[in-house]
Amino acid sequence: MLMKAKISMAVACGGGIFTTTVVTDKIKEILKKEKIPFSITPHKITEVPNLAGYDLIIVTGKTNAKNKAGAPIMLGLPLFTGVGAEEFTEEMLKEIRRIMEE
């Protein structure tokens, strides 16, 4: 089975760089531990609908925006607050593995 070489992700927050940085660092830690190759790019939440070329978009704030390119959007706030972080990590890894096997 041919798998994607790496997962391409966008991390988008409401505007503050701080939340994005914290969440991005946590995601990098998780993916390194799982030995999943990745690229992560920070964005503003307002850019979500028009982002292209990403497999998965993690947002740190609530948004009803859909990505026009069809990338799944996950709310990554648990990685910032720590509340529900384990559950989120499991969900995210499940989603990443599903995407990489497509």
Side-chain angles (χ1 to χ4, degrees):
M1 181 191 290
L2 189 70
M3 282 182 60
K4 274 184 182 288
K6 69 175 180 181
I7 186 93
S8 176
M9 299 172 71
V11 175
C13 73
I17 292 301
F18 181 67
T19 325
T20 312
T21 307
V22 172
V23 171
T24 300
D25 289 347
K26 293 257 170 67
I27 293 171
K28 284 179 179 174
E29 259 171 56
I30 294 162
L31 297 181
K32 280 179 184 151
K33 204 170 80 183
E34 296 290 326
K35 298 183 172 37
I36 297 171
F38 62 88
S39 67
I40 298 180
T41 315
H43 285 281
K44 284 188 170 58
I45 218 158
T46 51
E47 299 171 323
V48 165
N50 299 310
L51 294 178
Y54 292 106
D55 301 312
L56 182 60
I57 299 169
I58 306 287
V59 294
T60 60
K62 287 206 185 311
T63 176
N64 295 323
K66 293 278 177 269
N67 178 250
K68 288 178 190 151
I73 298 170
M74 296 182 80
L75 181 60
L77 206 56
L79 290 182
F80 184 72
T81 62
V83 178
E86 278 177 38
E87 292 87 341
F88 174 79
T89 300
E90 260 172 58
E91 282 299 299
M92 183 182 73
L93 288 171
K94 202 189 305 178
E95 186 66 14
I96 288 171
R97 291 190 177 107
R98 183 190 67 75
I99 291 164
M100 290 186 82
E101 282 169 8
E102 272 179 3

